[in-house]
Amino acid sequence: MPKEIAVHVGENGETTSLNEKGTIIVYQKRQGKWNVSRAKDFYLDQGLGLKDLRRQMEDVISFLSDCRIFVGLSIVGVPYFALEKAGFSVWEFEGKPVEFLDYILAQEETRAEQESQKPNNVVPSPVETSAGCYKLSLKEIQENNLGVTSKQVLLPFLRKGKFYSLEVICSHLPPWLEAELMSGNLTSSVEKISSNELRVIIAKKCCYECH
């Protein structure tokens, strides 16, 4: 299947942020050459409510179809979360697509090859410390190549929602987790324990924290 990369570009042909008027162009590589597969004018109106912003991003994702790589000058907030949730690899680049399409494709192919070669490790899971309250350390995953990611470990647990609160120890707050906390029915607090260690308490908005 031909490789596709979507890029949001402005009138000058260079990448622009999604809240600036521009065009989403899907480039497809065939026989060593990049061609325009399809294009869609796009502008994310920040004056809209959250529901309408999400609807706009749903339309974009539908337009992108099987393409799962998206590039823009700046991709944050609702757009980032919507793309990440839909399984996109999100890149921020400045310049014209011709300057970075091959680089991004090479990086994506390298990452895919590395993922395929990783051993099928047993994925650790949160440990219940009291009724409905769990604890998990991501530090070893973040600091060592264990063949699993923090997202693989934590996201399924959060999506199931069968907990009152979860304490996460990590060396840094993963971007995907920030997006997940912004979007769902979860509340969180972050405490810096040391220079390279954070404690994140995640709880349902409808529930009390465990004592």
Side-chain angles (χ1 to χ4, degrees), residues 12-191:
N12 60 359
E14 298 186 359
T15 53
T16 187
S17 59
L18 291 178
N19 59 358
E20 299 286 343
K21 291 184 179 180
T23 304
I24 297 174
I25 302 175
V26 179
Y27 294 91
Q28 189 180 86
K29 192 167 189 179
R30 287 181 178 274
Q31 299 178 341
K33 184 179 179 181
W34 290 100
N35 297 292
V36 175
S37 171
R38 53 196 181 278
K40 175 184 178 68
D41 290 337
F42 184 74
Y43 162 62
L44 191 68
D45 186 354
Q46 295 295 329
L48 296 175
L50 189 60
K51 186 176 181 180
D52 289 328
L53 289 174
R54 287 174 174 167
R55 186 179 295 115
Q56 274 194 286
M57 289 308 301
E58 287 173 1
D59 290 342
V60 168
I61 291 168
S62 177
F63 162 75
L64 293 173
S65 187
D66 293 331
C67 176
R68 279 299 176 270
I69 304 173
F70 194 94
V71 188
L73 180 63
S74 175
I75 306 172
V76 296
V78 172
Y80 175 85
F81 172 74
L83 292 167
E84 193 274 340
K85 186 177 181 181
F88 279 79
S89 180
V90 180
W91 291 75
E92 292 184 336
F93 256 92
E94 182 178 1
K96 297 181 178 180
V98 66
E99 299 169 351
F100 54 72
L101 287 175
D102 281 329
Y103 171 79
I104 289 178
L105 181 59
Q107 293 295 311
E108 289 289 336
E109 290 178 339
T110 297
R111 184 169 67 177
E113 183 177 351
Q114 290 173 343
E115 288 292 331
S116 68
Q117 293 174 352
K118 285 181 180 179
N120 294 323
N121 291 358
V122 176
V123 179
S125 60
V127 175
E128 190 170 18
T129 56
S130 60
C133 299
Y134 293 79
K135 184 174 183 178
L136 172 70
S137 176
L138 295 177
K139 286 198 67 178
E140 188 176 0
I141 296 170
Q142 292 178 323
E143 296 171 1
N144 301 284
N145 183 16
L146 301 182
V148 294
T149 65
S150 61
K151 187 174 181 179
Q152 288 174 314
V153 171
L154 195 49
L155 186 58
F157 181 82
L158 293 178
R159 290 284 172 85
K160 285 180 182 177
K162 296 181 178 179
F163 66 96
Y164 291 117
S165 75
L166 169 66
E167 177 183 343
V168 179
I169 304 298
C170 53
S171 56
H172 63 272
L173 190 61
W176 71 264
L177 179 55
E178 273 191 288
E180 185 72 15
L181 294 175
M182 286 171 56
S183 70
N185 296 316
L186 298 171
T187 182
S188 65
S189 63
V190 181
E191 175 189 354

